[in-house]
Structures are given as structure tokens and as C-alpha cells.
Amino acid sequence: MADPKPDTMDYYKHDEVLDIDYTPPSENWMDIKYDPAFYERRAGSWIYTTKKQHIEYLGMPNPHDWSPTDEDWGLPDNWKEIIFNGIRERLDKYRSFKIFMDCCVRCGACADKCHFYIGGGDPKNMPVLRAELLRSIYRNDFTMAGKILGRLVGGRKLTINVIKEWFYYFYQCTECRRCSVFCPYGIDTAEVTMMGRELLHLLGLGVNWIMQPVASCYRTGNHLGILPHGLKDTLEFFAEDIEDVTGIEVDIPINQKGADILFATPSGDFLAEPGTFTCMGYMMLFHELKERYGLTYTWSTYCSEAGNFGLFTSKEAMKRLNAKIYTEAKRLGVKWIIGGECGHMWRVLHQYMDTLNGEIKEGWKEAEEPKSPITGTVFENAKSTKMIHITEFTSDLIKHGKLKLDPSRNDHLNVTFHDSCNPARAMGIFEEPRYVIKNVCKNFHDMPPNTIREQTFCCGGGAGLGTDENMEMRLRGGLPRGNAVKYVHDKHGVNKLACMCAIDRATLTTVCEYWAPEVDVTGIHELVGNAMVMKGEKEQRTKDLRLDPLPGFEDAEDDDV
């Protein structure tokens, strides 16, 4: 297999990455002639394929080892029948799929809105053309006009090369839905990508960066395969650092029945910096709320993952992974749920949960419409799901003066905010994170208006694309966001990029290192933890959660100053 050489950022020269040719190729887009050398030439823009063992564990079709650089991809003999039956089944099951196949007029309003097209210039990364990769097969074999006129009405025959093309381009879409904001018909190209990936999985074609976490989540409850004692040990390690910073020994309630709240967050917060510091912020916040107001919460070793890579795999995987959150809430007898700073978990919960798992809530006798016992605020948006975003919760606490904050502890930071695609564009959480940041930091500057809120640019590594062998494509896809970060750095001196998604915290670290190296990445609740004045904390805090000196204590030798 070709080596994309992702070990050093120096491998991808800026002048080469910025040498983007937007001139459409002379050949017709339907005329594709793939060969194994295609993938070898494009190392750095595709992801290693799923290992056979994970497909077997998940009970999915056609488990086998293969590589895109092989001539033979190991497809079943009846692969074409499988794809046609899969399309037919999804057209019957999902009304949205048929609408998105039928209503596109190829106006091109979405063409220049995709970060991968902006950063790479490949016309098949225009959302309209990426969707045509699947829509052309639909037109040819599932519409009367296509059966009669074929290519004249945009239809084409299903061939092995089409399948190989699907694999390449459906894993160059982060399902961010920016294109849908600009579509006059509201076509959700992310849904088309999801259908394309589902069809590929019917043939046993997927990427390991997604399927290994899904298999691990089936087995251990989280994407990283962390066992119960591993979660406990990790949280205890964080607690030691918190005590070093604050002088307070925080509680770590795990699998506690009868707590008020179940807290669920992505496993990336446990093991991946800078998410680990955000996790410490969560722990400090909940400890403070118990000490001041008696609010109780619990972690769960069964539900040690709120992220959902099923969103990148299939509806069935999504349903199964989401179910554990509600099953555990029911088992522990909590009243409602708070979810951490994660992106894809919130699209699943906000847009699909009732359809997928509504029946699971039956029998959860303790479930209540989320209402803060501290402020009295009723979160009516979560009446059905019984789960709210932690930035909603924290912003409400700050609005009602329930947290004691010292923003000067973040004076060395000049912060901008990245609207994570799924909580922002899919959920509409725009103001709450900004409200929190502005109350814990004195220096804040938004990026340009056409790069934030509904029009926010993606990190370039969502939907399971954030792996190192895909580095060149990640850097190209991260160009629009990186350019906006560099703009506020150059204009306002911004040195910190805050975001509310575990994948963003991981992938934007690389994006900023490459496109805006003077800017570091943080989660929102890391900033909250730094600024929060906790009940019983040491007289003078001198370190932040990264154990770096706070402003004014750069020369302090220890904490006892």
C-alpha cells in the first residue's frame, strides 16, 4: 500500500497545496478509467480500508481484506444486484432520499461552497457533482426517462469503476451540510453521502478509521476501546491535576444510581489533547455545582461514549450506538442527560433520535423534561430527547449569576470561536458558546461573517476523515477555516481557537499548525475551568489546566506563592 508520508507537516509544502487549478478537465465527468495506480498517485487523499476482523465482528456483509491499490476489490459475484436492491430499499424507506435524487436542477449554487473543492479544485468535490455520482445511477435505472434516454438525461451505467469512484469521493465529504445552506431546494448532500456509504458497506467496502471505532463501541461502549477501569484511572489522573491547580479534590461519581444527571461525552475527551483539558473543566464544573447547590451527576462505564460513528456508517449502526445512552439513563434512574462538547453526537440526537430510539425511553420512569434545579430554567428544546448540550446548561448558569468567575485568568488569551458544523448548522447553537466565552475571557473576536454560524466552514476532518494517511486532503479541506483563523490572528492578534467538538479539537490542531501556526486550539469548558473560582480552592491559583502559569505568575516557582 502506498505511503502517504503523514509524519511531518513539512512534507506538504504550502506552495504545492496552494497551487489549485479550478479549470474543469476536458474529458466528460462520466468517463472514468480507474486503475490501481490512481490511488498510488493520490496518496494522502484516501483512507486505509476496513480490516476484515471488524466487519466480521459487526456482522456486516462481505468481510474481506482489500486495498484500493488492488485491481480486484473482492466484490461478490452479484455485486450489481446488491447495489440495485440497496438503492431500491432506501428509496422505499427514506422519502428524503428519493426527493434528493429527483429535485436537483444542477443550478450550481452549492458548487463553490465545499471546503474540499475550495482547497483542492477537483470538480467531483462540488456537492452537486458528488451527488451526481449516485444520482446518475438512479436516473439510469430507476427513472423512465433514464431507461429510455440514458446518458442524454444524465444517466449512466453501473460499473466497477463507478464503485471505485464512489469510494474515493464519498470519503472526501465530511457531511458538514454547508452546501445545503445555499441550495434553493434544501437538498442535504450529506444524506446523499450517507446513502452512498451505506451502499458501499453492502459490498464490504469501508474505511478502518470509522469501522474500528464502531466495532470498539459495540464491544466496550466507546470508540477507543477503553475498559471500565481505564476510564476510572483516567478520570482519577485528571483529578490529580485539578487538585494540583486548585487545591480541591473533586468527586468522580461513576455508575451512580439515583443521580440527578447522566453526563455523556465523546471518548476523545479522555485521551486526546486538548480535549483532556476540556474534560477537566467538566469535572470542575459538576463538582462546584454539587458543593454549592447539591446537584448530583454520574459518569457511566457502560455509556463511556456519546459520539456516534454510526452517523458515518449506516442508520442501523447509528441506532445501536445511540441506544446505549438512553438504556443507561434508564438503568441508573437519572432525571435527564447532559451531553459534552461533541459534534456528530448532537446531529444524531437532535435530528434522528426520536425516529431511531424513541421506544427506548418507554419505561424510563424517572425521566423529566430538563429543568435546571439551580436556575429554574426549563429547556423546552429537550422536552422529547431529555438531553441538553453542556454549553446551553453553562450559559444559563452564567446568565443567572450562579458561577463565580475570574476572567482575568484567561487574560493571556485572545480567543475566536469555530462553530462546529453539527451543533451549529444542524442544531442552531450559535450564541450560547459565545456567551460563555465572553464571560470567561476578556478578549474575543469572531471570524468573518461568511465563515461562521450557519455558513461555518468545516474542520476538514469530520465524518471519519481525520486520520493521518488522509493528511493532504485534510489540509486542503482545512484551508478555508485555517485562512479565516489566520485572518483574525493577523488583524486582532487572536492566539486561541475555541470549539465545542472533540473531532474539531483534534483536527483543528493540525489545521492551525499548518495554516495558522500562531494559534492554539481549546474547548470551551477548559476556559470555564480556568476562570471558575471554586468553593474551597487555594488562596492563590498560579496555573491553568495545562499546568502553565497564569498571567502574572510566569516567574512563580511553585503554587504556594
Side-chain angles (χ1 to χ4, degrees), residues 272-294:
E273 291 189 10
T276 50
F277 308 116
T278 300
C279 190
M280 292 164 67
Y282 301 150
M283 297 167 67
M284 294 168 67
L285 174 66
F286 285 118
H287 179 88
E288 180 72 357
L289 296 180
K290 179 182 179 183
E291 291 298 304
R292 290 188 182 273
Y293 307 108

PDB file of all heavy atoms in Angstrom, residues 272-294:
ATOM      1  N   ALA A 272      -7.378  12.444  24.260  1.00  0.00           N
ATOM      2  CA  ALA A 272      -6.779  13.254  23.198  1.00  0.00           C
ATOM      3  C   ALA A 272      -6.686  14.717  23.608  1.00  0.00           C
ATOM      4  O   ALA A 272      -7.701  15.359  23.833  1.00  0.00           O
ATOM      5  CB  ALA A 272      -7.599  13.118  21.906  1.00  0.00           C
ATOM      6  N   GLU A 273      -5.460  15.225  23.713  1.00  0.00           N
ATOM      7  CA  GLU A 273      -5.309  16.654  23.937  1.00  0.00           C
ATOM      8  C   GLU A 273      -5.706  17.407  22.668  1.00  0.00           C
ATOM      9  O   GLU A 273      -5.487  16.909  21.549  1.00  0.00           O
ATOM     10  CB  GLU A 273      -3.852  16.984  24.293  1.00  0.00           C
ATOM     11  CG  GLU A 273      -3.430  16.480  25.642  1.00  0.00           C
ATOM     12  CD  GLU A 273      -2.059  17.009  26.053  1.00  0.00           C
ATOM     13  OE1 GLU A 273      -1.540  17.921  25.361  1.00  0.00           O
ATOM     14  OE2 GLU A 273      -1.510  16.518  27.051  1.00  0.00           O
ATOM     15  N   PRO A 274      -6.328  18.583  22.818  1.00  0.00           N
ATOM     16  CA  PRO A 274      -6.598  19.308  24.057  1.00  0.00           C
ATOM     17  C   PRO A 274      -7.929  18.969  24.707  1.00  0.00           C
ATOM     18  O   PRO A 274      -8.342  19.650  25.665  1.00  0.00           O
ATOM     19  CB  PRO A 274      -6.590  20.763  23.583  1.00  0.00           C
ATOM     20  CG  PRO A 274      -7.143  20.692  22.200  1.00  0.00           C
ATOM     21  CD  PRO A 274      -6.634  19.400  21.626  1.00  0.00           C
ATOM     22  N   GLY A 275      -8.625  17.911  24.228  1.00  0.00           N
ATOM     23  CA  GLY A 275      -9.899  17.545  24.823  1.00  0.00           C
ATOM     24  C   GLY A 275      -9.791  17.157  26.280  1.00  0.00           C
ATOM     25  O   GLY A 275     -10.740  17.342  27.053  1.00  0.00           O
ATOM     26  N   THR A 276      -8.635  16.632  26.685  1.00  0.00           N
ATOM     27  CA  THR A 276      -8.455  16.230  28.077  1.00  0.00           C
ATOM     28  C   THR A 276      -8.632  17.411  29.030  1.00  0.00           C
ATOM     29  O   THR A 276      -9.167  17.262  30.131  1.00  0.00           O
ATOM     30  CB  THR A 276      -7.062  15.619  28.267  1.00  0.00           C
ATOM     31  OG1 THR A 276      -6.076  16.493  27.696  1.00  0.00           O
ATOM     32  CG2 THR A 276      -6.962  14.263  27.578  1.00  0.00           C
ATOM     33  N   PHE A 277      -8.201  18.591  28.613  1.00  0.00           N
ATOM     34  CA  PHE A 277      -8.346  19.769  29.472  1.00  0.00           C
ATOM     35  C   PHE A 277      -9.802  20.223  29.535  1.00  0.00           C
ATOM     36  O   PHE A 277     -10.268  20.723  30.554  1.00  0.00           O
ATOM     37  CB  PHE A 277      -7.454  20.907  28.966  1.00  0.00           C
ATOM     38  CG  PHE A 277      -6.023  20.484  28.756  1.00  0.00           C
ATOM     39  CD1 PHE A 277      -5.452  20.507  27.495  1.00  0.00           C
ATOM     40  CD2 PHE A 277      -5.257  20.031  29.812  1.00  0.00           C
ATOM     41  CE1 PHE A 277      -4.147  20.111  27.291  1.00  0.00           C
ATOM     42  CE2 PHE A 277      -3.946  19.620  29.634  1.00  0.00           C
ATOM     43  CZ  PHE A 277      -3.394  19.658  28.366  1.00  0.00           C
ATOM     44  N   THR A 278     -10.530  20.017  28.446  1.00  0.00           N
ATOM     45  CA  THR A 278     -11.969  20.283  28.452  1.00  0.00           C
ATOM     46  C   THR A 278     -12.667  19.347  29.419  1.00  0.00           C
ATOM     47  O   THR A 278     -13.566  19.753  30.169  1.00  0.00           O
ATOM     48  CB  THR A 278     -12.543  20.110  27.036  1.00  0.00           C
ATOM     49  OG1 THR A 278     -11.901  21.034  26.155  1.00  0.00           O
ATOM     50  CG2 THR A 278     -14.039  20.350  27.003  1.00  0.00           C
ATOM     51  N   CYS A 279     -12.251  18.081  29.418  1.00  0.00           N
ATOM     52  CA  CYS A 279     -12.821  17.099  30.341  1.00  0.00           C
ATOM     53  C   CYS A 279     -12.584  17.511  31.796  1.00  0.00           C
ATOM     54  O   CYS A 279     -13.463  17.378  32.649  1.00  0.00           O
ATOM     55  CB  CYS A 279     -12.217  15.723  30.061  1.00  0.00           C
ATOM     56  SG  CYS A 279     -13.024  14.364  30.925  1.00  0.00           S
ATOM     57  N   MET A 280     -11.406  18.034  32.073  1.00  0.00           N
ATOM     58  CA  MET A 280     -11.125  18.521  33.424  1.00  0.00           C
ATOM     59  C   MET A 280     -12.053  19.675  33.781  1.00  0.00           C
ATOM     60  O   MET A 280     -12.515  19.800  34.925  1.00  0.00           O
ATOM     61  CB  MET A 280      -9.659  18.947  33.514  1.00  0.00           C
ATOM     62  CG  MET A 280      -8.685  17.783  33.403  1.00  0.00           C
ATOM     63  SD  MET A 280      -6.989  18.288  33.046  1.00  0.00           S
ATOM     64  CE  MET A 280      -6.570  19.139  34.561  1.00  0.00           C
ATOM     65  N   GLY A 281     -12.370  20.515  32.797  1.00  0.00           N
ATOM     66  CA  GLY A 281     -13.316  21.596  33.031  1.00  0.00           C
ATOM     67  C   GLY A 281     -14.696  21.081  33.395  1.00  0.00           C
ATOM     68  O   GLY A 281     -15.372  21.633  34.273  1.00  0.00           O
ATOM     69  N   TYR A 282     -15.149  20.004  32.716  1.00  0.00           N
ATOM     70  CA  TYR A 282     -16.433  19.392  33.073  1.00  0.00           C
ATOM     71  C   TYR A 282     -16.415  18.958  34.537  1.00  0.00           C
ATOM     72  O   TYR A 282     -17.365  19.221  35.293  1.00  0.00           O
ATOM     73  CB  TYR A 282     -16.694  18.121  32.249  1.00  0.00           C
ATOM     74  CG  TYR A 282     -16.726  18.240  30.753  1.00  0.00           C
ATOM     75  CD1 TYR A 282     -16.325  17.149  29.960  1.00  0.00           C
ATOM     76  CD2 TYR A 282     -17.177  19.379  30.100  1.00  0.00           C
ATOM     77  CE1 TYR A 282     -16.361  17.200  28.588  1.00  0.00           C
ATOM     78  CE2 TYR A 282     -17.218  19.434  28.714  1.00  0.00           C
ATOM     79  CZ  TYR A 282     -16.801  18.350  27.959  1.00  0.00           C
ATOM     80  OH  TYR A 282     -16.840  18.391  26.597  1.00  0.00           O
ATOM     81  N   MET A 283     -15.353  18.256  34.916  1.00  0.00           N
ATOM     82  CA  MET A 283     -15.261  17.708  36.272  1.00  0.00           C
ATOM     83  C   MET A 283     -15.300  18.813  37.320  1.00  0.00           C
ATOM     84  O   MET A 283     -15.957  18.688  38.355  1.00  0.00           O
ATOM     85  CB  MET A 283     -13.980  16.878  36.398  1.00  0.00           C
ATOM     86  CG  MET A 283     -13.940  15.658  35.488  1.00  0.00           C
ATOM     87  SD  MET A 283     -12.300  14.884  35.369  1.00  0.00           S
ATOM     88  CE  MET A 283     -12.093  14.268  37.043  1.00  0.00           C
ATOM     89  N   MET A 284     -14.615  19.900  37.041  1.00  0.00           N
ATOM     90  CA  MET A 284     -14.611  21.025  37.982  1.00  0.00           C
ATOM     91  C   MET A 284     -15.994  21.659  38.092  1.00  0.00           C
ATOM     92  O   MET A 284     -16.456  22.001  39.187  1.00  0.00           O
ATOM     93  CB  MET A 284     -13.585  22.060  37.527  1.00  0.00           C
ATOM     94  CG  MET A 284     -12.145  21.578  37.594  1.00  0.00           C
ATOM     95  SD  MET A 284     -10.984  22.670  36.732  1.00  0.00           S
ATOM     96  CE  MET A 284     -11.071  24.143  37.757  1.00  0.00           C
ATOM     97  N   LEU A 285     -16.661  21.816  36.934  1.00  0.00           N
ATOM     98  CA  LEU A 285     -17.985  22.436  36.931  1.00  0.00           C
ATOM     99  C   LEU A 285     -18.975  21.612  37.758  1.00  0.00           C
ATOM    100  O   LEU A 285     -19.681  22.148  38.628  1.00  0.00           O
ATOM    101  CB  LEU A 285     -18.486  22.572  35.500  1.00  0.00           C
ATOM    102  CG  LEU A 285     -19.924  23.081  35.341  1.00  0.00           C
ATOM    103  CD1 LEU A 285     -20.044  24.516  35.832  1.00  0.00           C
ATOM    104  CD2 LEU A 285     -20.390  22.956  33.903  1.00  0.00           C
ATOM    105  N   PHE A 286     -19.039  20.311  37.518  1.00  0.00           N
ATOM    106  CA  PHE A 286     -20.010  19.483  38.227  1.00  0.00           C
ATOM    107  C   PHE A 286     -19.683  19.375  39.719  1.00  0.00           C
ATOM    108  O   PHE A 286     -20.595  19.322  40.553  1.00  0.00           O
ATOM    109  CB  PHE A 286     -20.092  18.094  37.586  1.00  0.00           C
ATOM    110  CG  PHE A 286     -20.843  18.075  36.288  1.00  0.00           C
ATOM    111  CD1 PHE A 286     -20.215  17.698  35.107  1.00  0.00           C
ATOM    112  CD2 PHE A 286     -22.181  18.438  36.236  1.00  0.00           C
ATOM    113  CE1 PHE A 286     -20.908  17.685  33.909  1.00  0.00           C
ATOM    114  CE2 PHE A 286     -22.878  18.430  35.034  1.00  0.00           C
ATOM    115  CZ  PHE A 286     -22.247  18.058  33.869  1.00  0.00           C
ATOM    116  N   HIS A 287     -18.391  19.349  40.052  1.00  0.00           N
ATOM    117  CA  HIS A 287     -18.025  19.338  41.470  1.00  0.00           C
ATOM    118  C   HIS A 287     -18.492  20.628  42.146  1.00  0.00           C
ATOM    119  O   HIS A 287     -19.052  20.590  43.263  1.00  0.00           O
ATOM    120  CB  HIS A 287     -16.510  19.190  41.618  1.00  0.00           C
ATOM    121  CG  HIS A 287     -16.061  19.197  43.054  1.00  0.00           C
ATOM    122  ND1 HIS A 287     -15.989  18.063  43.822  1.00  0.00           N
ATOM    123  CD2 HIS A 287     -15.659  20.222  43.869  1.00  0.00           C
ATOM    124  CE1 HIS A 287     -15.571  18.368  45.036  1.00  0.00           C
ATOM    125  NE2 HIS A 287     -15.360  19.676  45.088  1.00  0.00           N
ATOM    126  N   GLU A 288     -18.296  21.742  41.466  1.00  0.00           N
ATOM    127  CA  GLU A 288     -18.699  23.030  42.026  1.00  0.00           C
ATOM    128  C   GLU A 288     -20.216  23.106  42.218  1.00  0.00           C
ATOM    129  O   GLU A 288     -20.704  23.625  43.237  1.00  0.00           O
ATOM    130  CB  GLU A 288     -18.225  24.157  41.099  1.00  0.00           C
ATOM    131  CG  GLU A 288     -18.581  25.557  41.551  1.00  0.00           C
ATOM    132  CD  GLU A 288     -17.767  26.028  42.753  1.00  0.00           C
ATOM    133  OE1 GLU A 288     -16.957  25.235  43.276  1.00  0.00           O
ATOM    134  OE2 GLU A 288     -17.954  27.193  43.154  1.00  0.00           O
ATOM    135  N   LEU A 289     -20.964  22.577  41.274  1.00  0.00           N
ATOM    136  CA  LEU A 289     -22.422  22.619  41.375  1.00  0.00           C
ATOM    137  C   LEU A 289     -22.923  21.730  42.504  1.00  0.00           C
ATOM    138  O   LEU A 289     -23.942  22.043  43.145  1.00  0.00           O
ATOM    139  CB  LEU A 289     -23.049  22.197  40.046  1.00  0.00           C
ATOM    140  CG  LEU A 289     -22.760  23.111  38.860  1.00  0.00           C
ATOM    141  CD1 LEU A 289     -23.431  22.581  37.596  1.00  0.00           C
ATOM    142  CD2 LEU A 289     -23.207  24.543  39.147  1.00  0.00           C
ATOM    143  N   LYS A 290     -22.230  20.642  42.772  1.00  0.00           N
ATOM    144  CA  LYS A 290     -22.616  19.808  43.910  1.00  0.00           C
ATOM    145  C   LYS A 290     -22.317  20.518  45.233  1.00  0.00           C
ATOM    146  O   LYS A 290     -23.141  20.518  46.152  1.00  0.00           O
ATOM    147  CB  LYS A 290     -21.878  18.468  43.854  1.00  0.00           C
ATOM    148  CG  LYS A 290     -22.228  17.558  45.030  1.00  0.00           C
ATOM    149  CD  LYS A 290     -21.451  16.254  44.993  1.00  0.00           C
ATOM    150  CE  LYS A 290     -21.810  15.387  46.201  1.00  0.00           C
ATOM    151  NZ  LYS A 290     -21.016  14.129  46.233  1.00  0.00           N
ATOM    152  N   GLU A 291     -21.143  21.133  45.313  1.00  0.00           N
ATOM    153  CA  GLU A 291     -20.748  21.797  46.550  1.00  0.00           C
ATOM    154  C   GLU A 291     -21.635  23.007  46.870  1.00  0.00           C
ATOM    155  O   GLU A 291     -21.984  23.255  48.015  1.00  0.00           O
ATOM    156  CB  GLU A 291     -19.284  22.240  46.460  1.00  0.00           C
ATOM    157  CG  GLU A 291     -18.290  21.092  46.451  1.00  0.00           C
ATOM    158  CD  GLU A 291     -18.358  20.275  47.738  1.00  0.00           C
ATOM    159  OE1 GLU A 291     -18.193  20.877  48.820  1.00  0.00           O
ATOM    160  OE2 GLU A 291     -18.595  19.061  47.650  1.00  0.00           O
ATOM    161  N   ARG A 292     -22.006  23.747  45.852  1.00  0.00           N
ATOM    162  CA  ARG A 292     -22.781  24.979  46.087  1.00  0.00           C
ATOM    163  C   ARG A 292     -24.287  24.747  46.093  1.00  0.00           C
ATOM    164  O   ARG A 292     -25.013  25.418  46.835  1.00  0.00           O
ATOM    165  CB  ARG A 292     -22.436  26.027  45.018  1.00  0.00           C
ATOM    166  CG  ARG A 292     -21.037  26.611  45.146  1.00  0.00           C
ATOM    167  CD  ARG A 292     -20.837  27.779  44.182  1.00  0.00           C
ATOM    168  NE  ARG A 292     -19.492  28.321  44.246  1.00  0.00           N
ATOM    169  CZ  ARG A 292     -19.092  29.266  45.105  1.00  0.00           C
ATOM    170  NH1 ARG A 292     -19.962  29.773  45.969  1.00  0.00           N
ATOM    171  NH2 ARG A 292     -17.851  29.700  45.091  1.00  0.00           N
ATOM    172  N   TYR A 293     -24.756  23.804  45.244  1.00  0.00           N
ATOM    173  CA  TYR A 293     -26.201  23.684  45.048  1.00  0.00           C
ATOM    174  C   TYR A 293     -26.741  22.267  45.233  1.00  0.00           C
ATOM    175  O   TYR A 293     -27.948  22.056  45.120  1.00  0.00           O
ATOM    176  CB  TYR A 293     -26.580  24.180  43.647  1.00  0.00           C
ATOM    177  CG  TYR A 293     -26.056  25.563  43.363  1.00  0.00           C
ATOM    178  CD1 TYR A 293     -25.001  25.756  42.464  1.00  0.00           C
ATOM    179  CD2 TYR A 293     -26.587  26.684  43.995  1.00  0.00           C
ATOM    180  CE1 TYR A 293     -24.507  27.016  42.189  1.00  0.00           C
ATOM    181  CE2 TYR A 293     -26.100  27.956  43.737  1.00  0.00           C
ATOM    182  CZ  TYR A 293     -25.055  28.115  42.834  1.00  0.00           C
ATOM    183  OH  TYR A 293     -24.568  29.379  42.577  1.00  0.00           O
ATOM    184  N   GLY A 294     -25.876  21.302  45.491  1.00  0.00           N
ATOM    185  CA  GLY A 294     -26.332  19.942  45.748  1.00  0.00           C
ATOM    186  C   GLY A 294     -26.712  19.146  44.514  1.00  0.00           C
ATOM    187  O   GLY A 294     -27.313  18.064  44.626  1.00  0.00           O
TER     188      GLY A 294
END
